């Protein structure tokens, strides 16, 4: 873990210092997930759905680094243009982005289980789940955490400061020190940017 990146987070956002142990715990879960060959599943609603898409984007391509393919990987690829321009990524999936699946399941089955259905279908023992919910009470996100528990994978959640069903279900819950939705969202972004930067530093040395 890159402690300089974490230190910078707390210098810029001192209010987050009270979440230090939880942020480190979240990092450890994600690091172990990727070291084990697993993938990160992410879910949330509204602004939290957008944050899921955003975080996945930072993991799947270069964030602060270019992440070029190695010479061996380029040789195996065999196409100079693609090999020279592709980037290494950390496997992550935003469960909010599958519009056809989501609307079909919401129409044909039970809307509150739309994320749980995906978690249970995707989950392997090496995987992890990230749940974003400012309230911690979003029913479809809570059910996703229940599905993760049933599948035997760890859950990291980011919520507001109050205890919630999601905080109780999560392996680690980062309870941000705010209670208003937009203020919680304002602190969510620097947290996942910090996590993305630390993970990139860990897995991509170039």
């Amino acid at each position: 873990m890159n402690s300089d990146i974490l230190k910078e987070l707390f210098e810029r956002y001192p209010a987050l210092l009270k979440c230090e142990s939880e942020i480190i715990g979240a990092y450890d879960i994600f690091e172990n997930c990727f070291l084990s060959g697993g993938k990160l599943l992410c879910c949330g609603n509204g602004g939290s759905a957008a944050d899921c898409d955003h975080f996945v984007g930072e993991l799947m391509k270069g964030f602060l680094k270019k992440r070029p393919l190695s010479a061996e990987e380029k040789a195996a690829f065999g196409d100079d243009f693609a090999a020279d321009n592709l980037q290494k990524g950390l496997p992550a999936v935003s469960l909010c982005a599958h519009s056809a699946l989501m609307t079909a399941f919401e129409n044909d089955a039970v809307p509150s289980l739309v994320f749980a259905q995906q978690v249970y279908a995707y989950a392997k023992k090496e995987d992890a789940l990230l749940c974003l919910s400012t309230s911690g009470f979003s029913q479809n996100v809570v059910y996703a955490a229940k599905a993760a528990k049933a599948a035997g994978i760890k859950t990291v959640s980011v919520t507001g400061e109050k205890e919630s069903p999601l905080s109780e279900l999560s392996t680690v819950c980062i309870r941000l020190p705010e209670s208003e939705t937009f203020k919680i969202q304002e602190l969510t972004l620097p947290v996942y940017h910090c996590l993305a930067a630390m993970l990139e530093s860990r897995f991509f040395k170039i």
Side-chain angles (χ1 to χ4, degrees), residues 41-74:
L41 307 174
C42 306
C43 67
N45 297 300
S48 295
D51 281 326
C52 287
D53 290 352
H54 188 164
F55 186 43
V56 166
E58 310 296 23
L59 296 176
M60 288 284 286
K61 58 171 285 297
F63 176 41
L64 301 178
K65 300 182 178 185
K66 293 291 187 182
R67 307 187 197 173
L69 304 189
S70 67
E72 182 180 7
E73 289 168 327
K74 288 182 179 181

Side-chain angles (χ1 to χ4, degrees), residues 56-127:
V56 166
E58 310 296 23
L59 296 176
M60 288 284 286
K61 58 171 285 297
F63 176 41
L64 301 178
K65 300 182 178 185
K66 293 291 187 182
R67 307 187 197 173
L69 304 189
S70 67
E72 182 180 7
E73 289 168 327
K74 288 182 179 181
F77 201 88
D79 182 318
D80 291 342
F81 176 79
D84 286 342
N85 289 281
L86 284 172
Q87 301 176 14
K88 295 180 182 179
L90 294 170
V93 179
S94 173
L95 305 182
C96 315
H98 301 161
S99 58
L101 169 60
M102 291 175 68
T103 53
F105 191 83
E106 289 167 350
N107 185 60
D108 300 339
V110 182
S112 62
L113 298 179
V114 65
F115 293 138
Q117 173 67 26
Q118 295 182 71
V119 169
Y120 206 70
Y122 274 125
K124 305 298 181 186
K125 64 179 182 178
E126 302 85 3
D127 297 343

Side-chain angles (χ1 to χ4, degrees), residues 41 43 95 112-124 129 131 139-155 166 169:
L41 307 174
C43 67
L95 305 182
S112 62
L113 298 179
V114 65
F115 293 138
Q117 173 67 26
Q118 295 182 71
V119 169
Y120 206 70
Y122 274 125
K124 305 298 181 186
L129 173 67
C131 293
Q139 194 175 46
N140 54 0
V141 179
V142 170
Y143 276 121
K146 290 183 177 181
K149 187 174 183 178
I153 68 172
K154 293 181 177 179
T155 296
L166 197 54
L169 281 165

Side-chain angles (χ1 to χ4, degrees), residues 13-31:
Y13 302 91
L16 290 173
L17 189 58
K18 64 178 62 179
C19 302
E20 180 177 11
S21 63
E22 289 79 12
I23 293 171
I24 293 172
Y27 170 84
D28 288 341
I29 288 173
F30 296 161
E31 180 189 47

Side-chain angles (χ1 to χ4, degrees), residues 159-170:
T159 71
E161 62 187 351
K162 297 179 181 178
E163 291 187 7
S164 65
L166 197 54
S167 67
E168 293 176 5
L169 281 165
S170 301

